[in-house]
Amino acid sequence: MSAEMRQGAAPLPAAPLPPAGEGACGAGGRGGDLSGDGAPLSRPASRATLPREGGRDAPALRPTSRRRSWVGVARPLSPRRRTTLAVLSFLIPLLAWAAFSYVPFLWHPLVEVTEPGDIAWMEPGMRVPKAAFAEEVASARAAGTAEPAGRPANPVYLPAPHEVATAFWTSLTAQPTQRDAIRLPLSLWHSIQIIAFGFLLSSLIGVPLGILCGAQPTLARLTEPVIEFVRYMPAPAFGALMVAILGIYDGPKIAIIVIGTFFQQVLVIANTTRRIEPLLIEAALTLGARNLRLIRRVIVPAMLPQLYRDQRILLGWAWTYLIVAELIGTSSGITFFITQQARYQHFDNVYAAILIIGLVGSITDLALAWLGRRLFPYDRSEA
């Protein structure tokens, strides 16, 4: 073996560097077009054939279609779309109710007797289960007597929409058929008075206390723990105690409304007060505002739009306590009308009274919302 072979192969001479202006950036500056010796260089692999580590080609990267998300940043809807969705929100449950009432094969578990035939215990208008009606028809057919006739019907507690509409108009315009009944408008007005007095008393104490708790940490720490504790106690649980203290008439009903809204009111308003911009309060303190003047001139004006919205929500809570409150002591108001009509199984009148409560509450809230936009035109959330 030669000495050269024993010492190993001689290293290859290094490739000469290309002159300036040539090579990778030569030939008119077309980088990558020509190699150092003038041979054309291959262009970089396309996006679909980029080499991977290990020598394998990467799979083709196809542009993915951008899927639209149905959840994102809330943007205001157009007036036309808002109106359409608002109409559909009422129309959909109404159509479902009409389907259950007018489509015979959808539900209709009973049969309303239209002709009793020779069945002694049947009367026109009576509703009997389908199985019992079929047995009577088979018995009359076997005995050769007159068969009863009927039509599919729902239970009495699910009247059709047209029956409720008729009862709605009748209850507002006609005198009640029962001797001890009172007209629905009078019952409704009595309930509105209970709501008004109860919520007014609750607000007279709850709003100032909520503002003070939100503005003064020491007072908040002193009062809010017990308020948090009491607010979990159901307001109707105080019914018997309120009757013993205030009698059996309207006093305990108003007290239940107060108990049901006062404790929630203090906590909600205190939280609204704490959300005021701290820099605003610090600026007022720097300018010399203190104590009640700070509350009256800075805190209350800053929180007034949100305080107004809080009161709208809390007024709705007061309506939820109405039915239970009016059952305490002597029954009165719209609750007395509902319980009396349910006793006589006039469920069309029951539905009419419930719908009237919803209408009065919705109209009141819409009126308050309209008034809020006029009182606080600078507040964008009221727009």
Side-chain angles (χ1 to χ4, degrees):
M1 185 179 294
S2 64
E4 290 82 3
M5 293 181 65
R6 286 195 302 267
Q7 295 175 359
L12 295 174
L17 294 175
E22 296 182 6
C25 296
R30 294 169 57 190
D33 289 342
L34 294 177
S35 63
D37 56 358
L41 289 173
S42 60
R43 292 183 178 275
S46 65
R47 189 179 183 184
T49 58
L50 287 175
R52 257 189 214 163
E53 294 181 3
R56 298 183 180 179
D57 291 339
L61 300 177
R62 299 176 181 175
T64 57
S65 60
R66 188 174 182 181
R67 299 177 61 183
R68 185 175 180 180
S69 174
W70 56 275
V71 177
V73 179
R75 293 181 175 86
L77 301 175
S78 63
R80 181 177 180 181
R81 189 172 184 183
R82 287 197 307 177
T83 304
T84 302
L85 293 175
V87 171
L88 285 176
S89 67
F90 286 94
L91 189 60
I92 291 174
L94 181 60
L95 290 176
W97 182 16
F100 277 104
S101 300
Y102 300 128
V103 180
F105 58 83
L106 192 59
W107 190 34
H108 290 74
L110 304 179
V111 176
E112 183 179 356
V113 178
T114 56
E115 179 60 43
D118 290 337
I119 308 301
W121 60 272
M122 285 189 178
E123 296 178 357
M126 179 183 293
R127 304 188 186 204
V128 297
K130 285 184 177 180
F133 186 82
E135 290 179 2
E136 294 296 341
V137 169
S139 300
R141 188 176 301 162
T145 57
E147 301 177 7
R151 59 188 177 189
N154 280 332
V156 68
Y157 57 78
L158 185 62
H162 75 278
E163 297 174 344
V164 175
T166 303
F168 184 90
W169 177 254
T170 303
S171 60
L172 290 177
T173 57
Q175 293 291 337
T177 56
Q178 295 83 18
R179 288 186 306 172
D180 57 341
I182 59 176
R183 293 187 58 191
L184 181 58
L186 297 177
S187 302
L188 181 62
W189 174 242
H190 187 271
S191 297
I192 292 175
Q193 290 177 316
I194 296 293
I195 290 288
F197 285 127
F199 191 69
L200 180 61
L201 290 176
S202 175
S203 299
L204 287 176
I205 306 173
V207 172
L209 182 58
I211 294 175
L212 290 175
C213 288
Q216 223 295 323
T218 303
L219 181 62
R221 192 60 183 171
L222 181 65
T223 58
E224 287 190 9
V226 68
I227 292 176
E228 285 276 6
F229 175 75
V230 177
R231 81 182 179 99
Y232 286 103
M233 299 179 184
F238 295 89
L241 181 61
M242 293 299 104
V243 169
I245 297 173
L246 302 173
I248 62 174
Y249 296 105
D250 291 344
K253 309 175 195 310
I254 296 174
I256 294 301
I257 301 297
V258 172
I259 295 172
T261 57
F262 169 76
F263 301 99
Q264 312 285 349
Q265 199 170 43
V266 172
L267 297 176
V268 170
I269 294 174
N271 184 60
T272 299
T273 307
R274 295 188 185 102
R275 292 171 59 187
I276 298 175
E277 179 62 42
L279 293 178
L280 181 65
I281 299 177
E282 291 177 1
L285 290 171
T286 303
L287 294 175
R290 294 291 185 275
N291 301 329
L292 293 180
R293 187 178 182 184
L294 177 65
I295 293 176
R296 182 168 53 89
R297 293 292 186 89
V298 179
I299 293 178
V300 172
M303 64 176 294
L304 201 54
Q306 184 59 43
L307 174 63
Y308 185 85
R309 283 190 293 272
D310 291 342
Q311 292 298 92
R312 280 176 52 197
I313 296 172
L314 290 163
L315 181 60
W317 289 1
W319 277 97
T320 63
Y321 287 106
L322 174 67
I323 298 298
V324 177
E326 289 186 332
L327 289 174
I328 296 172
T330 56
S331 297
S332 62
I334 194 73
T335 305
F336 177 70
F337 181 87
I338 291 175
T339 54
Q340 186 183 54
Q341 297 303 315
R343 187 186 310 126
Y344 294 112
Q345 293 192 350
H346 295 164
F347 288 100
D348 50 352
N349 291 331
V350 172
Y351 278 78
I354 295 174
L355 289 176
I356 286 177
I357 294 176
L359 282 175
V360 171
S362 298
I363 291 173
T364 303
D365 188 72
L366 290 175
L368 292 175
W370 176 86
L371 182 61
R373 288 192 293 270
R374 298 300 181 274
L375 292 175
F376 314 110
Y378 54 87
D379 187 50
R380 295 181 60 185
S381 56
E382 283 288 347

